[in-house]
Amino acid sequence: MKRKITLKQIARELDVSISTVSKALRNSVEISDDTKQKVQAFAKLYNYRPNNIALSLKNRRTNTIGIIIPEIVHHFFSKVIRGVELVANKRGYNVIVGLSNESFAKEVINMEMLANGSIDGFILSMSKETLQQQDYHHFNETMSQGMPIVMFDRVVSDVNCDKVIVDDFNGAKNAVKKLINNKCKSIALITTKDYVSVGKLRTQGYLEALEESKMIPQSELILKIDDSLDYEVHLEKLEAEIEQLFKSNEKIDGVFAVNELYALSAMKVARKLGLDIPNDIQVIGFTDGVLSKHATPSLTTVSQHAQQMGEKAADLLINKLESENDEEEERFQTLVIPTELIERESTK
Amino acid sequence: MKRKITLKQIARELDVSISTVSKALRNSVEISDDTKQKVQAFAKLYNYRPNNIALSLKNRRTNTIGIIIPEIVHHFFSKVIRGVELVANKRGYNVIVGLSNESFAKEVINMEMLANGSIDGFILSMSKETLQQQDYHHFNETMSQGMPIVMFDRVVSDVNCDKVIVDDFNGAKNAVKKLINNKCKSIALITTKDYVSVGKLRTQGYLEALEESKMIPQSELILKIDDSLDYEVHLEKLEAEIEQLFKSNEKIDGVFAVNELYALSAMKVARKLGLDIPNDIQVIGFTDGVLSKHATPSLTTVSQHAQQMGEKAADLLINKLESENDEEEERFQTLVIPTELIERESTK
DNA sequence: TTGTACGCGTTATCAG
DNA sequence: CTGATAACGCGTACAA
């Protein structure tokens, strides 16, 4: 099993010094054409490539960015990764992925693993557990060691760093306004518990839209789901609660759900109760997923432009990494990505 | 902006040598308890962690595995990554992700980027373009440089390495047999062009099932889709072709589709033509996706156990990396992951 | 018990 | 034009 060839080996074979080989390969003017040709030919023959690790050690930068997300089997996060990867590769960086699996402990461990020299900076979205525990010491510690962080989607004001977020508030508000314009008189909200910041903002958007239209929010129309449960259990409970909601509020003619799954469940339950979509009930969801597009009827959703978020986050991070002015006062920015309402068959 | 603390800095502060610090931190018996305590306390205070890059250079191994997939916004590949990540982390490895985006050139570039010392081995699934061009030199070159590769799902016999594959043939065969047992007399197949090996195997499974039941395969019931097109165009063309298929073969009472999207499209078209599922037509798809589960009616599918594939691939790779016996003759294995038929509402 | 020297692979600097 | 040396950060064999 051969090893990769190194400068040293080339030098030995050609009976020159290591530094001569190094210079010859970089086409230095210091080296004679003869030597250059000889070295380059040999290097090409043996397919020489500089060892990244050695370069990283020398340059004190790895040209690798770490991305930590709560879960990869989610369209939204996959798309963000794709965006990050796209920009990163274009700018000469690799991407290393860590999954927190929504666990605080795994998030911390993963960050520690990567922070010890493997990467130059982080792009991350916090786990639900971290949001719940409100323990952000690992972020602040990482940053105090000179490693920049860009957070996306699930962010928190207690951590001072660059951020890329969805305009959850206005996305939700516009969605609900759409329902109102479509003559819905009694609009239900299916959301998560408030500790997930995005859920909270979407809830606020819902309330704001109602108020602007002089409609009075009714607490019995707001369903807050506990999403910390196991997926299967969660799903079952979800449908039961939605059914309960519909049954106790027969006047409901519109539903805004803070994610795709809730929206689909609402449609499923509605159909089960013999309600027609969109004639009896109109439904709008939130997210970029495939489910919405291929559902029956296809679901009107608020698109988050996940890939674009990934791209922006990557640009933000790499810009910071490559900015020479370490001295310059730290200026953190928060990019807000506008949402877009994609109208499909679940609304009129 | 502080830098991470190093052995050298600790040594200077404490006025001892670097190696003393190193030994003290590893609790060497050579060092006096006094010194150990002093050093360890200091290191803890400043949160010292050995630099991974330096270790990688020294140990000539990075404890990182590279995974290259054609596309990340696909449930199947996301799940594989999750499986790889799970096992890798458990065994002390990181995972670095590269996307080929189904392009041969990007696959080659990505591999070259990672092969130069960044990782210890590859887990990958080939791009469609690579399969079409049948150019595998980059795999063989990588392996000849001592970097092991484990391929999964899309493999090819021309490359000699460890492999993890789905039992596509039997998965398809069993699915079609299920349709036959359910009294389907005229079963259509919606598949891809043959260069995608998995599509080919699934087609063979379909044919075998028919033959075993003494049913005669009819070419007009087999629809081969060109999936090299742009997604949107593809989708539109797909539905048109399926509609054509159904219209010219009204006797069709069963459909086996080699992926989720084709199956869903078949259901959509069937519904459009006023056919009831599963009473008029029964449908089975192939894959692990979310679409099947949340479709209406929910889709019976052949599950591929993607996460398990990722786990097996990671174990295979790490075992190889950690086996001392470089001398031992190379023995490559191919793991076949059995499929599982998940019955839902689209079949009786 | 502590320290010195070396090597991992590379490049930059300086001496020849 | 070429080569020796140092440095990136670490661990370890060996010397003191």
Side-chain angles (χ1 to χ4, degrees):
Chain A
M1 202 141 93
K2 293 191 298 182
R3 283 222 166 279
K4 291 221 62 175
I5 195 165
T6 67
L7 287 185
K8 188 193 276 192
Q9 293 169 46
I10 299 181
R12 199 186 312 137
E13 291 293 327
L14 264 41
D15 208 40
V16 290
S17 79
I18 294 178
S19 44
T20 301
V21 176
S22 175
K23 286 173 188 164
L25 290 176
R26 334 195 92 244
N27 241 317
S28 162
V29 286
E30 296 180 43
I31 306 295
S32 71
D33 286 349
D34 266 14
T35 313
K36 272 196 248 185
Q37 284 207 323
K38 191 176 59 174
V39 172
Q40 289 175 2
F42 190 91
K44 185 156 200 171
L45 181 63
Y46 284 89
N47 195 28
Y48 169 80
R49 294 277 184 281
N51 181 313
N52 280 333
I53 294 293
L55 289 180
S56 295
L57 183 59
K58 180 145 190 55
N59 302 332
R60 287 136 153 263
R61 56 205 317 282
T62 61
N63 271 260
T64 301
I65 71 192
I67 175 163
I68 296 193
I69 54 174
E71 180 51 85
I72 199 175
V73 189
H74 266 45
H75 219 241
F76 174 73
F77 289 118
S78 303
K79 278 195 150 182
V80 172
I81 292 189
R82 190 213 250 163
V84 170
E85 215 260 355
L86 195 75
V87 169
N89 279 15
K90 195 179 297 170
R91 298 183 68 172
Y93 285 73
N94 280 320
V95 176
I96 183 163
V97 171
L99 306 180
S100 68
N101 203 26
E102 301 287 11
S103 137
F104 173 78
K106 253 209 100 189
E107 185 174 278
V108 172
I109 291 174
N110 246 312
M111 284 190 67
E112 281 181 356
M113 250 181 115
L114 298 184
N116 302 319
S118 302
I119 62 164
D120 297 334
F122 280 107
I123 290 176
L124 62 84
S125 191
M126 301 166 64
S127 77
K128 281 182 195 163
E129 217 180 52
T130 308
L131 283 164
Q132 251 174 322
Q133 299 183 199
Q134 305 187 27
D135 183 346
Y136 313 125
H137 77 277
H138 49 313
F139 303 130
N140 293 320
E141 253 170 38
T142 305
M143 293 177 57
S144 79
Q145 288 178 344
M147 175 143 331
I149 294 181
V150 176
M151 291 200 173
F152 71 90
D153 194 47
R154 300 190 195 157
V155 304
V156 95
S157 57
D158 297 11
V159 182
N160 222 302
C161 64
D162 286 320
K163 291 163 191 168
V164 181
I165 54 173
V166 175
D167 189 351
D168 288 290
F169 177 78
N170 284 307
K173 184 173 157 189
N174 290 336
V176 176
K177 281 194 151 180
K178 169 78 186 169
L179 291 174
I180 295 173
N181 286 341
N182 281 4
K183 315 289 181 214
C184 290
K185 299 298 177 204
S186 185
I187 302 172
L189 169 71
I190 308 180
T191 183
T192 56
K193 300 277 187 200
D194 273 350
Y195 64 84
V196 177
S197 54
V198 297
K200 192 171 178 181
L201 284 168
R202 292 172 198 170
T203 301
Q204 287 171 355
Y206 162 86
L207 295 173
E208 174 81 7
L210 293 185
E211 277 166 27
E212 274 193 11
S213 304
K214 313 285 183 216
M215 292 169 71
I216 297 150
Q218 291 169 274
S219 61
E220 65 267 27
L221 295 184
I222 299 179
L223 188 57
K224 293 196 182 185
I225 308 288
D226 180 3
D227 61 350
S228 58
L229 300 170
D230 174 69
Y231 184 76
E232 295 294 338
V233 180
H234 179 200
L235 198 64
E236 213 168 296
K237 196 149 172 286
L238 174 62
E239 288 175 11
E241 291 194 34
I242 293 174
E243 185 165 347
Q244 183 57 41
L245 172 74
F246 284 172
K247 281 185 175 165
S248 9
N249 300 279
E250 296 200 346
K251 59 189 186 308
I252 290 176
D253 53 4
V255 172
F256 173 61
V258 299
N259 62 42
E260 209 176 19
L261 187 60
Y262 292 0
L264 252 68
S265 300
M267 294 207 295
K268 185 172 171 190
V269 171
R271 207 167 25 238
K272 183 176 156 194
L273 297 179
L275 299 166
D276 179 73
I277 297 167
N279 292 317
D280 298 330
I281 293 191
Q282 301 184 52
V283 181
I284 298 184
F286 208 115
T287 232
D288 272 61
V290 279
L291 287 177
S292 310
K293 184 168 192 167
H294 297 286
T296 316
S298 59
L299 181 68
T300 295
T301 56
V302 180
S303 164
Q304 299 157 296
H305 301 300
Q307 179 168 340
Q308 194 191 339
M309 288 186 76
E311 293 170 9
K312 297 274 191 195
D315 270 322
L316 224 48
L317 181 63
I318 297 176
N319 287 347
K320 177 137 294 182
L321 290 174
E322 297 185 348
S323 77
E324 300 301 329
N325 40 1
D326 297 307
E327 315 301 334
E328 185 196 321
E329 69 194 303
E330 293 275 22
R331 272 265 154 267
F332 294 120
Q333 39 182 323
T334 295
L335 258 47
V336 179
I337 308 290
T339 59
E340 183 187 0
L341 190 66
I342 299 184
E343 298 187 36
R344 299 207 184 85
E345 301 163 359
S346 66
T347 49
K348 288 185 199 170
Chain B
M1 202 141 94
K2 293 190 297 182
R3 282 220 167 280
K4 289 220 63 176
I5 195 164
T6 67
L7 286 185
K8 188 195 274 193
Q9 292 169 46
I10 299 181
R12 198 186 311 138
E13 291 293 328
L14 264 41
D15 208 41
V16 292
S17 80
I18 295 177
S19 56
T20 301
V21 177
S22 175
K23 288 172 187 164
L25 290 177
R26 334 196 94 246
N27 243 316
S28 161
V29 286
E30 297 181 37
I31 306 295
S32 71
D33 286 349
D34 265 13
T35 313
K36 272 197 244 182
Q37 285 208 321
K38 191 175 59 173
V39 171
Q40 289 175 1
F42 191 91
K44 185 155 200 172
L45 182 63
Y46 283 89
N47 196 29
Y48 170 81
R49 293 277 183 280
N51 180 314
N52 280 333
I53 294 292
L55 289 178
S56 294
L57 184 59
K58 181 153 186 49
N59 301 332
R60 287 140 152 256
R61 55 205 319 281
T62 61
N63 273 254
T64 300
I65 71 191
I67 174 163
I68 295 193
I69 53 174
E71 181 51 84
I72 199 173
V73 188
H74 267 44
H75 219 240
F76 174 74
F77 289 119
S78 303
K79 277 196 152 181
V80 172
I81 291 189
R82 189 212 251 161
V84 170
E85 215 260 355
L86 195 76
V87 169
N89 278 16
K90 195 179 298 170
R91 298 183 68 170
Y93 285 72
N94 280 321
V95 176
I96 185 164
V97 170
L99 306 180
S100 68
N101 203 27
E102 302 286 11
S103 138
F104 173 78
K106 254 209 100 187
E107 184 174 278
V108 172
I109 290 175
N110 246 314
M111 284 189 68
E112 281 181 355
M113 248 182 117
L114 298 184
N116 302 319
S118 302
I119 62 162
D120 297 334
F122 280 108
I123 290 176
L124 61 84
S125 191
M126 302 167 63
S127 76
K128 281 183 194 162
E129 218 180 53
T130 308
L131 284 164
Q132 252 174 320
Q133 300 183 197
Q134 305 188 26
D135 183 346
Y136 313 125
H137 78 276
H138 50 311
F139 302 131
N140 292 320
E141 255 169 38
T142 304
M143 293 175 60
S144 78
Q145 289 178 346
M147 173 142 333
I149 294 180
V150 176
M151 290 200 175
F152 70 91
D153 194 47
R154 301 190 195 158
V155 304
V156 94
S157 58
D158 297 12
V159 182
N160 223 302
C161 64
D162 286 320
K163 291 163 192 168
V164 182
I165 55 175
V166 175
D167 190 353
D168 288 291
F169 177 79
N170 283 307
K173 185 173 157 189
N174 290 337
V176 176
K177 281 196 152 180
K178 170 77 186 171
L179 291 173
I180 295 172
N181 286 342
N182 281 4
K183 314 288 181 216
C184 290
K185 299 298 175 204
S186 184
I187 301 172
L189 169 69
I190 309 179
T191 183
T192 57
K193 301 275 187 201
D194 272 350
Y195 65 84
V196 177
S197 55
V198 296
K200 192 172 179 180
L201 284 168
R202 292 172 199 170
T203 301
Q204 287 170 356
Y206 163 84
L207 295 173
E208 174 81 6
L210 293 185
E211 278 166 25
E212 274 192 10
S213 303
K214 313 285 185 219
M215 292 169 71
I216 297 151
Q218 294 170 274
S219 62
E220 66 267 27
L221 294 185
I222 299 180
L223 188 57
K224 293 197 181 184
I225 308 288
D226 180 4
D227 60 350
S228 59
L229 301 170
D230 174 70
Y231 184 74
E232 294 294 338
V233 180
H234 179 201
L235 198 64
E236 214 168 294
K237 196 150 173 287
L238 174 63
E239 288 176 13
E241 292 193 34
I242 294 174
E243 186 165 345
Q244 183 57 41
L245 172 74
F246 283 173
K247 281 184 174 164
S248 13
N249 299 278
E250 295 199 347
K251 59 190 185 307
I252 291 176
D253 53 2
V255 173
F256 173 60
V258 298
N259 63 44
E260 209 175 19
L261 188 59
Y262 292 180
L264 251 68
S265 299
M267 294 208 294
K268 185 172 170 189
V269 171
R271 205 166 29 235
K272 183 177 156 193
L273 298 178
L275 299 165
D276 180 76
I277 297 167
N279 292 317
D280 299 329
I281 294 191
Q282 300 184 52
V283 181
I284 298 184
F286 208 116
T287 231
D288 272 59
V290 278
L291 287 177
S292 310
K293 183 166 190 166
H294 296 287
T296 317
S298 58
L299 181 68
T300 295
T301 55
V302 180
S303 165
Q304 299 157 298
H305 300 301
Q307 179 168 339
Q308 194 192 339
M309 288 186 75
E311 292 170 9
K312 297 275 190 195
D315 270 323
L316 224 47
L317 181 63
I318 297 176
N319 287 347
K320 177 136 293 182
L321 290 174
E322 297 184 347
S323 77
E324 300 301 329
N325 39 1
D326 297 307
E327 315 301 333
E328 185 196 323
E329 69 194 302
E330 294 275 20
R331 273 263 155 268
F332 294 119
Q333 40 182 323
T334 295
L335 258 48
V336 179
I337 308 289
T339 60
E340 182 187 1
L341 191 67
I342 299 186
E343 299 187 35
R344 299 206 184 86
E345 301 162 359
S346 66
T347 49
K348 287 185 202 170

